[in-house]
Amino acid sequence: MISMLLSLFSGDMSLSAWDLLAGLSPQQSLILWEIRLPRTLMTAIVGAGLAISGVALQALFRNPLAEPGLIGVSSSAAFGAVLVIVLGGVVWQDVSVWQMSLSAFIAAALSTALLYSIATRNGHTDVALMLLAGVAFNAVAGALTQLLITFSDDSQLRSVLFWMMGSFANLSWASVGIVLSLVLVSLIGLWRLVKPMNAFVLGENVCIQMGYEPKWFKWQVMGFSALMVGAAVSVVGVIGFVGLVVPHIMRLLIGSDHRLVLPLSALAGAILLVVADLFARQILYPAELPIGLLMALLGGPFFLMLLLNKRRRI
């Protein structure tokens, strides 16, 4: 709550709680209700969604290194969204957030299913193969996205390039509503799977013995995770490492019970991204550092630290 209030009151035009009590001017009201509040809410929603998708994918692969950005899910979703941005005008006059979200979801779901089929054999995930396949997915999706950019006009090029670095600028209430609805649907779906998650991480045989169907569980986790990532990426672009950092910290603090990890990761992801966005707006003021770049700068060293810790245990 404190981080969201700081985000609302920070910017070119300073606002305070006293301004709210005393009454806002028309300009202040416009800035608060049409610019800052949608941005702050979207930041929290996306942070929660990316963190939850990280928890779900790590349970699916039974590995804490699985993260939408690292294994190519986010870049695949980005390709799906850019496909609609660049080529959608040929079919439709106006490209909507729903169309971008649907395309991003399809691309993310296909990449998740393909990655799982490549990296997992007999219920065991080969970590090295998963990461290498993720590198390949990121490379292919990035190349296809760049290919689409070569066919874009100047206005599409500027919007796509800035969007690919991750940005919460110029958001509307309509986009907030769409992403919120998709994230809520996915959250409810994954919350129903917290007990199977706890069983699945112990092995598919344990999952079966406890009365759960592993195959159906896998498809649900892949679908809901892809829906979250696709919704987030289609509106704000690629933002990495939230799904890696937040679940890892939560497991260190509260253990591995997904009944606690899932909701608390959602809360922590929302707080992390709101604070990061606030920092991104201030560090290069009056310019704004793209949030995707900031999270890469913060998340990259964290990922290296995880790899080094994993190597010491071998």
Side-chain angles (χ1 to χ4, degrees):
M1 180 62 71
I2 295 175
S3 61
M4 295 184 71
L5 289 176
L6 289 174
S7 179
L8 288 175
F9 294 150
S10 300
D12 292 334
M13 177 179 288
S14 61
L15 295 173
S16 65
W18 173 252
D19 292 325
L20 294 177
L21 296 174
L24 299 174
S25 67
Q27 186 179 16
Q28 289 175 321
S29 180
L30 176 66
I31 291 173
L32 178 64
W33 298 107
E34 299 299 328
I35 298 177
R36 292 187 187 173
L37 187 56
R39 177 177 185 141
T40 301
L41 290 176
M42 181 68 85
T43 307
I45 294 166
V46 169
L50 292 176
I52 294 169
S53 65
V55 172
L57 290 174
Q58 287 166 18
L60 175 68
F61 287 96
R62 293 198 286 271
N63 191 281
L65 298 180
E67 193 268 341
L70 291 175
I71 60 178
V73 179
S74 293
S75 57
S76 299
F79 165 70
V82 172
L83 182 66
V84 172
I85 293 174
V86 176
L87 302 181
V90 178
V91 182
W92 307 285
Q93 286 185 335
D94 296 315
V95 175
S96 68
V97 176
W98 279 112
Q99 292 165 332
M100 292 175 60
S101 297
L102 177 61
S103 180
F105 161 68
I106 293 173
L110 290 175
S111 67
T112 304
L114 182 58
L115 180 70
Y116 186 83
S117 66
I118 292 173
T120 305
R121 286 291 181 273
N122 299 321
H124 175 71
T125 299
D126 187 323
V127 179
L129 185 58
M130 178 189 72
L131 294 176
L132 290 173
V135 170
F137 277 36
N138 277 319
V140 173
L144 291 174
T145 302
Q146 293 295 327
L147 181 63
L148 287 173
I149 290 175
T150 61
F151 295 104
S152 62
D153 56 35
D154 290 341
S155 61
Q156 291 174 335
L157 178 62
R158 285 192 296 270
S159 63
V160 168
L161 288 179
F162 190 71
W163 170 84
M164 286 178 63
M165 292 186 289
S167 173
F168 289 104
N170 302 320
L171 295 171
S172 66
W173 280 109
S175 61
V176 172
I178 291 171
V179 176
L180 176 61
S181 63
L182 296 176
V183 169
L184 281 178
V185 168
S186 301
L187 174 59
I188 293 171
L190 289 173
W191 176 249
R192 293 172 56 251
L193 300 174
V194 288
K195 290 182 179 179
M197 280 185 194
N198 287 337
F200 188 80
V201 294
L202 298 176
E204 292 194 28
N205 291 333
V206 175
C207 191
I208 294 172
Q209 290 172 5
M210 295 184 68
Y212 304 116
E213 174 53 53
K215 185 176 181 180
W216 180 233
F217 165 80
K218 296 174 190 176
W219 283 111
Q220 288 186 85
V221 169
M222 285 188 281
F224 288 128
S225 300
L227 185 60
M228 279 193 177
V229 175
V233 168
S234 65
V235 176
V236 301
V238 178
I239 300 173
F241 293 104
V242 177
L244 175 71
V245 174
V246 173
H248 185 78
I249 293 176
M250 287 299 102
R251 289 192 181 94
L252 289 177
L253 294 176
I254 63 175
S256 57
D257 188 344
H258 287 91
R259 291 174 295 181
L260 295 176
V261 173
L262 193 74
L264 291 180
S265 291
L267 178 61
I271 294 172
L272 173 64
L273 211 54
V274 169
V275 172
D277 181 57
L278 178 62
F279 185 69
R281 283 188 281 159
Q282 301 297 326
I283 188 173
L284 295 179
Y285 185 83
E288 179 178 321
L289 181 67
I291 187 67
L293 295 183
L294 177 61
M295 292 309 301
L297 291 173
L298 296 176
F302 186 87
F303 179 62
L304 290 175
M305 182 186 71
L306 290 182
L307 291 178
L308 291 175
N309 287 336
K310 190 174 183 67
R311 188 182 69 173
R312 292 192 190 102
R313 296 171 186 169
I314 299 176

